């Protein structure tokens, strides 16, 4: 079964710290990998999408990398702020799944002032 | 900006009732999706549709049906609501390509008493 795993499940850091969230997947045959943000009780907001041919994507203080051969992606957040507090979800579009995404369980991030 | 709207943010229904959850997108997307999100289980795909009147089962279709009569609207139907269908329901849409991002609505928190 194709799965997506995110570690850690929860993370608490002081404001200003640089941090890395991890995502691992079980099959390297993927179309793309996405990182989403979810605030409590809300829907998901797409942060970054990395196509299978790409190694990384950047948006502002966020940088996502993709290593298909090892089945890993990381989301790097620079100079974290309290407003970054949310749950971050990784989702993989596997080649044999058409348009369906497989989600990880998420990492709940708290950035303390 | 892509906008995905869901008919209700909160809904309370009784066991055995027929429940309709509606989702509308305004970007002429071919694909539309229904997920449910539960603590500890993450996001799971219920159904998705890749065209009007077309649908495919996701991971957990039991107890649900869907309807897509118009391209912009995708409805999730609980024929006879049960307490184990209490959950957060999220709708999403995307363009037809497997490489395109999914855009999510704000979610509907359904409680079945």
């Amino acid at each position: 079964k194709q799965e997506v795993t995110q570690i850690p499940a929860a993370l608490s850091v002081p404001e200003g710290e640089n941090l890395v969230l991890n995502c691992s997947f079980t099959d390297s045959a993927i179309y793309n990998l996405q990182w989403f943000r979810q605030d409590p009780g809300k829907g998901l907001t797409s942060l970054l999408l990395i196509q299978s041919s790409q190694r990384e994507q950047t948006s502002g203080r966020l940088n996502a990398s993709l290593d298909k051969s090892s089945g890993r992606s990381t989301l790097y957040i620079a100079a974290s702020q309290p407003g970054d507090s949310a749950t971050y979800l990784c989702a993989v579009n596997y080649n044999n799944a058409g348009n369906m995404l497989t989600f990880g369980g998420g990492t709940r991030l708290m950035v303390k002032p | 900006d892509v906008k995905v709207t869901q008919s209700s943010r909160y809904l309370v229904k009784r066991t055995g009732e027929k429940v309709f959850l509606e989702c509308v997108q305004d970007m002429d997307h071919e694909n539309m999706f229904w997920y449910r999100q539960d603590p500890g289980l993450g996001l799971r795909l219920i159904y998705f549709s890749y065209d009007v009147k077309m649908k495919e089962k996701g991971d957990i279709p039991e107890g649900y049906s869907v309807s897509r009569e118009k391209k912009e609207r995708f409805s999730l139907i609980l024929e006879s609501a049960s307490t184990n269908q209490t959950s957060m329901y999220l709708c999403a849409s995307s363009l037809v390509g497997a490489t395109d991002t999914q855009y999510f609505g704000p979610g509907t928190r359904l409680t079945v008493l």
Side-chain angles (χ1 to χ4, degrees):
Chain A
K1 182 184 174 186
Q2 293 166 324
E3 295 181 339
V4 179
T5 304
Q6 290 185 249
I7 295 173
L11 183 63
S12 180
V13 301
E15 182 178 4
E17 195 163 294
N18 302 325
L19 58 100
V20 173
L21 307 181
N22 296 296
C23 172
S24 61
F25 47 96
T26 52
D27 187 342
S28 62
I30 68 172
Y31 281 124
N32 58 50
L33 182 146
Q34 282 187 249
W35 284 93
F36 291 91
R37 170 187 171 135
Q38 185 176 31
D39 293 292
K42 302 285 180 63
L44 278 65
T45 301
S46 180
L47 297 173
L48 290 164
L49 182 149
I50 311 176
Q51 305 292 357
S52 62
S53 58
Q54 298 174 321
R55 294 299 297 262
E56 64 178 347
Q57 282 285 339
T58 299
S59 175
R61 294 183 293 107
L62 305 180
N63 175 276
S65 68
L66 175 65
D67 183 345
K68 283 196 307 179
S69 60
S70 66
R72 292 186 181 179
S73 175
T74 61
L75 179 67
Y76 175 82
I77 303 177
S80 59
Q81 302 171 355
D84 294 330
S85 298
T87 296
Y88 291 81
L89 293 155
C90 167
V92 173
N93 190 339
Y94 285 106
N95 281 359
N96 63 355
N99 293 289
M100 299 191 212
L101 296 178
T102 301
F103 282 84
T107 294
R108 191 170 64 253
L109 172 67
M110 177 168 292
V111 181
K112 297 181 179 177
Chain B
D1 277 356
V2 176
K3 193 156 188 183
V4 180
T5 57
Q6 295 184 227
S7 51
S8 305
R9 293 284 285 121
Y10 300 94
L11 207 53
V12 180
K13 296 291 182 180
R14 297 209 174 271
T15 302
E17 279 192 76
K18 190 169 185 176
V19 182
F20 293 87
L21 302 182
E22 302 235 314
C23 175
V24 177
Q25 50 92 6
D26 66 357
M27 284 302 292
D28 203 34
H29 284 171
E30 291 83 2
N31 296 330
M32 296 189 75
F33 307 82
W34 274 108
Y35 296 88
R36 66 177 281 177
Q37 186 176 29
D38 301 286
L41 296 175
L43 264 119
R44 294 176 292 168
L45 181 66
I46 305 171
Y47 268 99
F48 94 96
S49 169
Y50 51 92
D51 202 350
V52 174
K53 298 189 186 294
M54 307 303 288
K55 61 185 179 185
E56 288 215 13
K57 293 179 180 180
D59 299 319
I60 50 164
E62 298 78 19
Y64 302 95
S65 62
V66 290
S67 172
R68 191 158 180 210
E69 297 295 320
K70 293 185 178 181
K71 192 175 185 180
E72 67 270 18
R73 189 180 299 269
F74 191 34
S75 301
L76 180 70
I77 304 156
L78 287 67
E79 296 289 343
S80 178
S82 63
T83 55
N84 62 13
Q85 292 179 310
T86 292
S87 186
M88 170 72 108
Y89 290 87
L90 292 162
C91 174
S93 73
S94 74
L95 290 168
V96 68
T99 57
D100 292 301
T101 191
Q102 290 187 18
Y103 296 88
F104 281 78
T108 295
R109 171 76 63 185
L110 172 67
T111 302
V112 183
L113 302 175

